[in-house]
Amino acid sequence: MTDHVLIFDTTLRDGEQSPGATMTHSEKLEIAEMLDDMGVDIIEAGFPIASEGDFKAVSEIAQRSKDAQICGLSRANFKDIDRCWEAVKHSARPRIHTFIGTSPLHRAIPNLDMDQMAERIHDCVTHARNLCDNVQWSSMDATRTEWDFLKRTVDIAIKAGASTINIPDTVGYTEPVESADLIKRLIQEVDGADTVIFSTHCHNDLGMATANSLAAVAGGARQIECTINGLGERAGNTALEEVVMAMRVRKDIMPYGTRIDTTKIMNISRRVSTVSGFPVQFNKAIVGKNAFAHESGIHQDGMLKNRETFEVMRPEDVGLSGTSLPLGKHSGRAALRDKLEKLGVEMGDNELKDIFVRFKDLADRKKEVFDEDLIALIRQNDGTDDHLKLKDLTVICGMNGPQKATMVLEIDGDDKTVQATGDGPVDATFNAVKQLFPHGARLQLYQVHAVTEGTDAQATVSVRMEEEGRIATGESADTDTVVASAKAYINALNRLIVRREQTSVGYDEKAVSYKDTGK
Ligand code: KIV
Ligand code: ZN
C-alpha cells in the first residue's frame, strides 16, 4: 500500500528569495512549465505583493498552468491576501498561502500578543477562505513556537477553513525525531486534524532538511515543500530531488508515492542552476556532477561486474544518459538532436538551429564535444533580451604587463569600443566593461572550473556582483577562459539591470524580514 505525498515546489518563491537567485519573467514561466510537466502537485509561483514583477509572474503562471495547483504567498493581512488572490485566481486550481511568524521572536516583529495574533489568524484565514476554497496556513517558525500556542494557531486555522496546515522549520533548527513528533502530536491533539493535509517546510541550516522532511512524513505529513537543487534562503530548502528519490529508492521503509517523473530531474536541475546563477555542488546528492561518477579502480571494477555494487539508483532514473559518446565537427543536426533528447533536453526547430550553430563553432575549436560541453552550451542564454552584449574581445597577455584588452560592447543596440589595461587579462577585460558601462557594482565572487579534461576544455566561469544590496550572478562557458569571464561578468550586469528595473510595491526588500504592514 502506498500513500500519496504531495510535492509542493517553492523554487520560484523561497528559492528565488535567495540573495542573487533572481530570475527574469520568461525564466520563471519556463521553470513553472517544467515543474508542471514533471508532475509537481503545487507550484508556489511567487509573492504577489512583493513587486509588480512577482505579481505578473504569478498571474501568468496561473493562466498557463496545466495540472499543477498554483499558489501565491501572502502575509497575514487583507491587502496581501487580496493581491495574492488577484494573481492566482486565473489558475484552474488556485491556492492562497498565508502565514505569520508565531514564535516569541517572530511575534515581537508586529508586536502582537498571543490573543491578538490568534484573532489575526482567524480573520485572515476566514478572509482568504471567502475568496478561495483552497487555503494553506503556515505558522512560521513553528519549530520554535511554544507547543500550546502552536496548537492553538493550527486549531484556529482549521476552524477558519484552511485545508492545508504547514509547519515550517524556518531557521533549520529541528532534527528528525522532533520533526516527526511535532506532526504526530498535532494530528493527535488538534480537533479536525483528520480533515486537513499537514505539510512540512524545512530549511537546511544544519544540513537536516531532507531528513527532517522525510521524518515529518513518517509522523503523518502528506505534503513536502521543497525546491529544485535545494535552492533557497541561507543554506537553502529541502531539495525536491532528494526527498523524491529517497522515497522511491527506499519504498520498502517509506511506502509513499509521488506524481514526479524522475527522469525529468536532471534537466530541470541544470536549468534552475543556469537561470538562478547558483552552480550545483559537484558532490550534491542526485544532481551533482559526481553523483554517479566512479573514479577509483575498485569501484569501477565492481560497477562493471554489477552496477548495484556501488549504485542505489540508475543514472537513467534521474534523466542522465547511460553512455557518453562525444560528438565532433562532422556530426550533423540529427546526431545533435538525438544526443540532446538523450540528455532530456527538448527543443523546437528554431532553438535547435541556434544550438547547432553554436555547437559547430565549438566543435571547430574543440576536437570532441562531450555531454558536459553541450550542457554548458545550452546553459548560456541566447542574449536576445540583454542590454549589454559582447561583440568582440582581443587581449594581449605576457610576462611584462600591464595586460591590454580591446573590447567592442553593444549597449542597447549601439556598438562601443574601448582599450583598457589591468593587472592580468581578466582584470583588463573587466576594466574595459567598466569603462564602456560605468557602474558601482562590486565583484563578490569569481570562479573558474574546467567543464571536461584536456587543455582544450571549456572553462565555466561564475561571478557574483553586488550593487546597493542587490545581488546578481552570471555564468558562461568558452574554450577561452578570458572570453568566458567577460561573458559571465556581462551576464551578471544584465541581471543587475533587470533587478534595478523591478520596482517594489509596499515592500522593502525581497530578502524578506517579513515586516508586518497590518490589515
Ligand atoms: O521558511 C518559512 O517559514 C517560509 C514561510 C513563508 C512558509 O518560507
Ligand atoms: Zn522557507
Short mmCIF file of all heavy atoms in Angstrom, two decimals, residues 218-270:
data_model
loop_
_atom_site.label_atom_id
_atom_site.label_comp_id
_atom_site.label_asym_id
_atom_site.label_seq_id
_atom_site.Cartn_x
_atom_site.Cartn_y
_atom_site.Cartn_z
N ALA A 218 6.84 10.57 7.98
CA ALA A 218 6.64 9.41 8.86
C ALA A 218 5.69 9.76 10.01
O ALA A 218 4.91 8.93 10.47
CB ALA A 218 7.98 8.92 9.41
N GLY A 219 5.73 11.02 10.44
CA GLY A 219 4.84 11.48 11.51
C GLY A 219 3.42 11.76 11.04
O GLY A 219 2.56 12.05 11.85
N GLY A 220 3.21 11.77 9.73
CA GLY A 220 1.85 11.96 9.22
C GLY A 220 1.67 13.10 8.23
O GLY A 220 0.58 13.30 7.69
N ALA A 221 2.73 13.87 7.97
CA ALA A 221 2.61 14.94 6.96
C ALA A 221 2.41 14.30 5.58
O ALA A 221 2.98 13.24 5.31
CB ALA A 221 3.87 15.81 6.96
N ARG A 222 1.62 14.93 4.75
CA ARG A 222 1.40 14.40 3.41
C ARG A 222 1.66 15.45 2.34
O ARG A 222 1.18 15.34 1.21
CB ARG A 222 -0.03 13.82 3.27
CG ARG A 222 -0.20 12.49 4.02
CD ARG A 222 0.69 11.38 3.42
NE ARG A 222 0.63 10.13 4.18
CZ ARG A 222 1.46 9.81 5.17
NH1 ARG A 222 2.43 10.64 5.54
NH2 ARG A 222 1.33 8.65 5.79
N GLN A 223 2.40 16.48 2.69
CA GLN A 223 2.88 17.45 1.70
C GLN A 223 4.29 17.85 2.10
O GLN A 223 4.55 18.17 3.27
CB GLN A 223 1.97 18.69 1.68
CG GLN A 223 2.52 19.80 0.77
CD GLN A 223 1.59 20.99 0.65
OE1 GLN A 223 0.51 20.90 0.10
NE2 GLN A 223 2.01 22.13 1.18
N ILE A 224 5.21 17.80 1.11
CA ILE A 224 6.58 18.27 1.37
C ILE A 224 6.80 19.52 0.54
O ILE A 224 6.56 19.53 -0.67
CB ILE A 224 7.63 17.20 0.97
CG1 ILE A 224 7.46 15.93 1.80
CG2 ILE A 224 9.04 17.76 1.13
CD1 ILE A 224 8.48 14.84 1.47
N GLU A 225 7.27 20.57 1.20
CA GLU A 225 7.62 21.79 0.48
C GLU A 225 9.12 21.75 0.19
O GLU A 225 9.93 21.48 1.10
CB GLU A 225 7.26 23.03 1.30
CG GLU A 225 5.78 23.00 1.63
CD GLU A 225 5.17 24.36 1.93
OE1 GLU A 225 5.90 25.38 1.93
OE2 GLU A 225 3.96 24.41 2.15
N CYS A 226 9.48 22.00 -1.05
CA CYS A 226 10.87 21.82 -1.44
C CYS A 226 11.21 22.65 -2.66
O CYS A 226 10.33 23.28 -3.26
CB CYS A 226 11.12 20.33 -1.73
SG CYS A 226 9.85 19.58 -2.76
N THR A 227 12.48 22.65 -3.02
CA THR A 227 12.93 23.40 -4.20
C THR A 227 13.89 22.54 -5.01
O THR A 227 14.52 21.63 -4.47
CB THR A 227 13.70 24.69 -3.80
OG1 THR A 227 14.83 24.30 -3.02
CG2 THR A 227 12.85 25.65 -3.01
N ILE A 228 14.02 22.87 -6.28
CA ILE A 228 14.99 22.17 -7.13
C ILE A 228 16.40 22.57 -6.67
O ILE A 228 16.67 23.75 -6.43
CB ILE A 228 14.78 22.57 -8.62
CG1 ILE A 228 13.36 22.25 -9.07
CG2 ILE A 228 15.83 21.92 -9.51
CD1 ILE A 228 13.01 20.80 -9.16
N ASN A 229 17.27 21.60 -6.56
CA ASN A 229 18.67 21.78 -6.12
C ASN A 229 18.76 22.29 -4.68
O ASN A 229 19.82 22.73 -4.24
CB ASN A 229 19.45 22.76 -7.01
CG ASN A 229 19.53 22.30 -8.45
OD1 ASN A 229 19.38 21.12 -8.74
ND2 ASN A 229 19.77 23.23 -9.37
N GLY A 230 17.62 22.31 -3.95
CA GLY A 230 17.64 22.83 -2.58
C GLY A 230 17.88 24.34 -2.53
O GLY A 230 18.29 24.87 -1.49
N LEU A 231 17.60 25.02 -3.65
CA LEU A 231 17.77 26.47 -3.69
C LEU A 231 16.93 27.12 -2.59
O LEU A 231 15.83 26.64 -2.30
CB LEU A 231 17.28 26.95 -5.08
CG LEU A 231 17.62 28.37 -5.51
CD1 LEU A 231 19.11 28.52 -5.72
CD2 LEU A 231 16.88 28.72 -6.80
N GLY A 232 17.41 28.19 -2.01
CA GLY A 232 16.58 28.87 -1.00
C GLY A 232 17.41 29.71 -0.06
O GLY A 232 18.64 29.68 -0.09
N GLU A 233 16.70 30.45 0.79
CA GLU A 233 17.33 31.35 1.76
C GLU A 233 18.47 30.65 2.51
O GLU A 233 18.35 29.49 2.88
CB GLU A 233 16.29 31.76 2.81
CG GLU A 233 15.16 32.60 2.27
CD GLU A 233 15.29 34.04 2.68
OE1 GLU A 233 16.40 34.58 2.59
OE2 GLU A 233 14.28 34.63 3.08
N ARG A 234 19.54 31.35 2.76
CA ARG A 234 20.70 30.87 3.52
C ARG A 234 21.20 29.51 2.97
O ARG A 234 21.63 29.43 1.83
CB ARG A 234 20.37 30.77 5.01
CG ARG A 234 19.83 32.08 5.61
CD ARG A 234 19.54 31.93 7.09
NE ARG A 234 18.74 30.75 7.39
CZ ARG A 234 17.42 30.69 7.27
NH1 ARG A 234 16.73 31.75 6.90
NH2 ARG A 234 16.76 29.57 7.51
N ALA A 235 21.10 28.44 3.80
CA ALA A 235 21.60 27.12 3.35
C ALA A 235 20.59 26.42 2.47
O ALA A 235 20.79 25.27 2.07
CB ALA A 235 21.93 26.27 4.56
N GLY A 236 19.48 27.06 2.18
CA GLY A 236 18.51 26.50 1.24
C GLY A 236 17.37 25.74 1.88
O GLY A 236 17.28 25.61 3.11
N ASN A 237 16.48 25.25 1.00
CA ASN A 237 15.30 24.48 1.43
C ASN A 237 15.57 22.99 1.19
O ASN A 237 16.58 22.62 0.60
CB ASN A 237 14.10 24.88 0.57
CG ASN A 237 13.57 26.27 0.88
OD1 ASN A 237 14.29 27.25 0.75
ND2 ASN A 237 12.33 26.36 1.30
N THR A 238 14.61 22.17 1.57
CA THR A 238 14.67 20.75 1.25
C THR A 238 14.77 20.60 -0.27
O THR A 238 14.05 21.26 -1.01
CB THR A 238 13.36 20.08 1.72
OG1 THR A 238 13.25 20.28 3.12
CG2 THR A 238 13.33 18.61 1.38
N ALA A 239 15.66 19.72 -0.73
CA ALA A 239 15.82 19.53 -2.18
C ALA A 239 14.77 18.54 -2.69
O ALA A 239 14.68 17.42 -2.18
CB ALA A 239 17.22 19.01 -2.49
N LEU A 240 14.02 18.97 -3.68
CA LEU A 240 12.96 18.11 -4.26
C LEU A 240 13.52 16.76 -4.69
O LEU A 240 12.98 15.70 -4.36
CB LEU A 240 12.31 18.84 -5.45
CG LEU A 240 11.21 18.10 -6.20
CD1 LEU A 240 10.17 19.10 -6.73
CD2 LEU A 240 11.69 17.23 -7.34
N GLU A 241 14.65 16.81 -5.43
CA GLU A 241 15.20 15.58 -5.99
C GLU A 241 15.59 14.58 -4.90
O GLU A 241 15.51 13.37 -5.08
CB GLU A 241 16.39 15.89 -6.91
CG GLU A 241 17.61 16.56 -6.27
CD GLU A 241 17.48 18.07 -6.13
OE1 GLU A 241 16.39 18.61 -6.40
OE2 GLU A 241 18.47 18.71 -5.74
N GLU A 242 16.00 15.11 -3.73
CA GLU A 242 16.44 14.21 -2.66
C GLU A 242 15.26 13.50 -2.01
O GLU A 242 15.29 12.28 -1.84
CB GLU A 242 17.25 15.00 -1.61
CG GLU A 242 18.57 15.50 -2.17
CD GLU A 242 19.39 16.32 -1.18
OE1 GLU A 242 19.09 16.29 0.03
OE2 GLU A 242 20.33 16.98 -1.62
N VAL A 243 14.20 14.26 -1.67
CA VAL A 243 13.08 13.58 -0.99
C VAL A 243 12.36 12.64 -1.95
O VAL A 243 11.97 11.53 -1.57
CB VAL A 243 12.08 14.58 -0.35
CG1 VAL A 243 12.63 15.14 0.93
CG2 VAL A 243 11.65 15.69 -1.29
N VAL A 244 12.24 13.06 -3.21
CA VAL A 244 11.51 12.21 -4.17
C VAL A 244 12.29 10.91 -4.42
O VAL A 244 11.72 9.81 -4.38
CB VAL A 244 11.26 12.98 -5.49
CG1 VAL A 244 10.81 12.05 -6.59
CG2 VAL A 244 10.24 14.09 -5.26
N MET A 245 13.59 11.02 -4.64
CA MET A 245 14.38 9.81 -4.91
C MET A 245 14.51 8.94 -3.66
O MET A 245 14.53 7.71 -3.75
CB MET A 245 15.76 10.17 -5.48
CG MET A 245 15.74 10.69 -6.90
SD MET A 245 14.74 9.72 -8.05
CE MET A 245 15.72 8.23 -8.21
N ALA A 246 14.59 9.56 -2.49
CA ALA A 246 14.69 8.76 -1.26
C ALA A 246 13.43 7.92 -1.09
O ALA A 246 13.50 6.72 -0.78
CB ALA A 246 14.90 9.68 -0.05
N MET A 247 12.27 8.52 -1.34
CA MET A 247 11.02 7.76 -1.16
C MET A 247 10.90 6.68 -2.22
O MET A 247 10.29 5.65 -2.00
CB MET A 247 9.81 8.70 -1.20
CG MET A 247 9.72 9.57 0.05
SD MET A 247 8.17 10.47 0.19
CE MET A 247 8.38 11.75 -1.00
N ARG A 248 11.49 6.94 -3.39
CA ARG A 248 11.41 5.95 -4.46
C ARG A 248 12.37 4.78 -4.21
O ARG A 248 12.00 3.62 -4.32
CB ARG A 248 11.76 6.66 -5.78
CG ARG A 248 11.61 5.78 -6.98
CD ARG A 248 12.01 6.54 -8.22
NE ARG A 248 12.51 5.59 -9.18
CZ ARG A 248 12.16 5.56 -10.44
NH1 ARG A 248 11.33 6.46 -10.90
NH2 ARG A 248 12.65 4.66 -11.25
N VAL A 249 13.60 5.12 -3.84
CA VAL A 249 14.61 4.07 -3.65
C VAL A 249 14.31 3.23 -2.39
O VAL A 249 14.48 2.03 -2.37
CB VAL A 249 16.03 4.70 -3.59
CG1 VAL A 249 17.07 3.67 -3.18
CG2 VAL A 249 16.40 5.31 -4.93
N ARG A 250 13.82 3.90 -1.31
CA ARG A 250 13.56 3.18 -0.07
C ARG A 250 12.07 2.98 0.18
O ARG A 250 11.58 3.19 1.29
CB ARG A 250 14.23 3.90 1.11
CG ARG A 250 15.73 3.95 1.05
CD ARG A 250 16.40 2.59 0.85
NE ARG A 250 15.95 1.53 1.74
CZ ARG A 250 16.45 1.28 2.94
NH1 ARG A 250 17.46 1.98 3.39
NH2 ARG A 250 15.98 0.29 3.68
N LYS A 251 11.38 2.56 -0.88
CA LYS A 251 9.94 2.29 -0.76
C LYS A 251 9.66 1.22 0.30
O LYS A 251 8.59 1.19 0.90
CB LYS A 251 9.41 1.82 -2.12
CG LYS A 251 8.12 2.50 -2.48
CD LYS A 251 7.66 2.16 -3.85
CE LYS A 251 6.86 3.24 -4.48
NZ LYS A 251 6.95 4.57 -4.04
N ASP A 252 10.68 0.35 0.51
CA ASP A 252 10.48 -0.72 1.49
C ASP A 252 10.19 -0.17 2.88
O ASP A 252 9.41 -0.74 3.63
CB ASP A 252 11.74 -1.64 1.52
CG ASP A 252 13.03 -0.85 1.75
OD1 ASP A 252 13.09 0.33 1.35
OD2 ASP A 252 13.98 -1.41 2.34
N ILE A 253 10.83 0.97 3.22
CA ILE A 253 10.55 1.54 4.55
C ILE A 253 9.81 2.87 4.49
O ILE A 253 9.39 3.40 5.51
CB ILE A 253 11.84 1.70 5.39
CG1 ILE A 253 12.91 2.44 4.59
CG2 ILE A 253 12.36 0.36 5.88
CD1 ILE A 253 14.08 2.88 5.45
N MET A 254 9.69 3.44 3.26
CA MET A 254 8.91 4.69 3.11
C MET A 254 7.91 4.44 1.98
O MET A 254 8.16 4.84 0.83
CB MET A 254 9.84 5.86 2.77
CG MET A 254 10.73 6.26 3.93
SD MET A 254 11.72 7.73 3.58
CE MET A 254 13.08 7.04 2.66
N PRO A 255 6.80 3.80 2.28
CA PRO A 255 5.88 3.38 1.21
C PRO A 255 4.98 4.51 0.73
O PRO A 255 3.77 4.44 0.82
CB PRO A 255 5.07 2.27 1.89
CG PRO A 255 5.06 2.64 3.33
CD PRO A 255 6.32 3.38 3.62
N TYR A 256 5.62 5.56 0.19
CA TYR A 256 4.84 6.72 -0.24
C TYR A 256 5.09 6.99 -1.72
O TYR A 256 6.21 6.86 -2.21
CB TYR A 256 5.24 7.97 0.56
CG TYR A 256 5.31 7.73 2.04
CD1 TYR A 256 6.52 7.75 2.72
CD2 TYR A 256 4.15 7.44 2.76
CE1 TYR A 256 6.59 7.51 4.08
CE2 TYR A 256 4.20 7.19 4.12
CZ TYR A 256 5.43 7.23 4.77
OH TYR A 256 5.49 6.97 6.11
N GLY A 257 4.05 7.39 -2.41
CA GLY A 257 4.18 7.67 -3.84
C GLY A 257 4.07 9.16 -4.12
O GLY A 257 3.47 9.91 -3.36
N THR A 258 4.69 9.60 -5.23
CA THR A 258 4.51 10.98 -5.70
C THR A 258 4.17 10.91 -7.19
O THR A 258 4.26 9.84 -7.80
CB THR A 258 5.81 11.82 -5.56
OG1 THR A 258 6.76 11.37 -6.53
CG2 THR A 258 6.40 11.72 -4.17
N ARG A 259 3.79 12.04 -7.78
CA ARG A 259 3.48 12.06 -9.21
C ARG A 259 4.70 12.45 -10.05
O ARG A 259 4.60 12.65 -11.24
CB ARG A 259 2.37 13.10 -9.47
CG ARG A 259 0.98 12.69 -9.04
CD ARG A 259 -0.09 13.53 -9.75
NE ARG A 259 0.22 14.94 -9.80
CZ ARG A 259 0.34 15.64 -10.92
NH1 ARG A 259 0.18 15.08 -12.10
NH2 ARG A 259 0.62 16.94 -10.89
N ILE A 260 5.86 12.59 -9.41
CA ILE A 260 7.03 13.13 -10.12
C ILE A 260 7.60 12.15 -11.14
O ILE A 260 7.87 10.99 -10.81
CB ILE A 260 8.14 13.52 -9.10
CG1 ILE A 260 7.62 14.57 -8.12
CG2 ILE A 260 9.40 14.00 -9.81
CD1 ILE A 260 7.25 15.91 -8.70
N ASP A 261 7.80 12.64 -12.37
CA ASP A 261 8.51 11.87 -13.39
C ASP A 261 9.99 12.14 -13.14
O ASP A 261 10.53 13.18 -13.52
CB ASP A 261 8.08 12.36 -14.78
CG ASP A 261 8.88 11.70 -15.90
OD1 ASP A 261 9.84 10.96 -15.59
OD2 ASP A 261 8.56 11.95 -17.07
N THR A 262 10.64 11.17 -12.49
CA THR A 262 12.02 11.43 -12.02
C THR A 262 13.02 11.57 -13.17
O THR A 262 14.08 12.15 -12.98
CB THR A 262 12.50 10.30 -11.07
OG1 THR A 262 12.49 9.07 -11.79
CG2 THR A 262 11.61 10.18 -9.84
N THR A 263 12.65 11.10 -14.37
CA THR A 263 13.60 11.22 -15.49
C THR A 263 13.73 12.68 -15.93
O THR A 263 14.59 13.02 -16.73
CB THR A 263 13.17 10.37 -16.70
OG1 THR A 263 11.91 10.86 -17.18
CG2 THR A 263 13.04 8.90 -16.34
N LYS A 264 12.89 13.55 -15.38
CA LYS A 264 13.00 14.98 -15.76
C LYS A 264 13.85 15.76 -14.75
O LYS A 264 14.05 16.97 -14.89
CB LYS A 264 11.59 15.59 -15.84
CG LYS A 264 10.72 14.91 -16.91
CD LYS A 264 9.66 15.85 -17.43
CE LYS A 264 9.27 15.58 -18.84
NZ LYS A 264 8.27 14.72 -19.20
N ILE A 265 14.36 15.07 -13.74
CA ILE A 265 15.08 15.76 -12.66
C ILE A 265 16.36 16.46 -13.13
O ILE A 265 16.58 17.64 -12.85
CB ILE A 265 15.41 14.77 -11.50
CG1 ILE A 265 14.13 14.49 -10.69
CG2 ILE A 265 16.50 15.31 -10.59
CD1 ILE A 265 14.30 13.50 -9.55
N MET A 266 17.21 15.76 -13.88
CA MET A 266 18.50 16.35 -14.26
C MET A 266 18.32 17.61 -15.09
O MET A 266 19.00 18.62 -14.91
CB MET A 266 19.33 15.35 -15.08
CG MET A 266 20.17 14.41 -14.29
SD MET A 266 21.03 15.08 -12.88
CE MET A 266 22.18 16.22 -13.59
N ASN A 267 17.37 17.52 -16.02
CA ASN A 267 17.18 18.64 -16.92
C ASN A 267 16.73 19.90 -16.17
O ASN A 267 17.25 20.99 -16.40
CB ASN A 267 16.14 18.22 -17.97
CG ASN A 267 16.25 19.08 -19.20
OD1 ASN A 267 17.31 19.66 -19.46
ND2 ASN A 267 15.16 19.20 -19.91
N ILE A 268 15.77 19.72 -15.29
CA ILE A 268 15.27 20.91 -14.56
C ILE A 268 16.33 21.41 -13.57
O ILE A 268 16.48 22.61 -13.35
CB ILE A 268 13.90 20.65 -13.90
CG1 ILE A 268 13.27 21.97 -13.44
CG2 ILE A 268 13.96 19.68 -12.75
CD1 ILE A 268 11.79 21.90 -13.16
N SER A 269 17.11 20.47 -13.03
CA SER A 269 18.18 20.88 -12.12
C SER A 269 19.17 21.80 -12.85
O SER A 269 19.57 22.85 -12.34
CB SER A 269 18.89 19.64 -11.59
OG SER A 269 20.17 19.97 -11.12
N ARG A 270 19.55 21.39 -14.07
CA ARG A 270 20.51 22.20 -14.84
C ARG A 270 19.91 23.55 -15.19
O ARG A 270 20.57 24.59 -15.12
CB ARG A 270 20.86 21.49 -16.14
CG ARG A 270 21.71 20.26 -15.93
CD ARG A 270 22.01 19.63 -17.28
NE ARG A 270 22.62 18.34 -17.12
CZ ARG A 270 22.16 17.21 -17.67
NH1 ARG A 270 21.08 17.24 -18.43
NH2 ARG A 270 22.79 16.09 -17.47
#
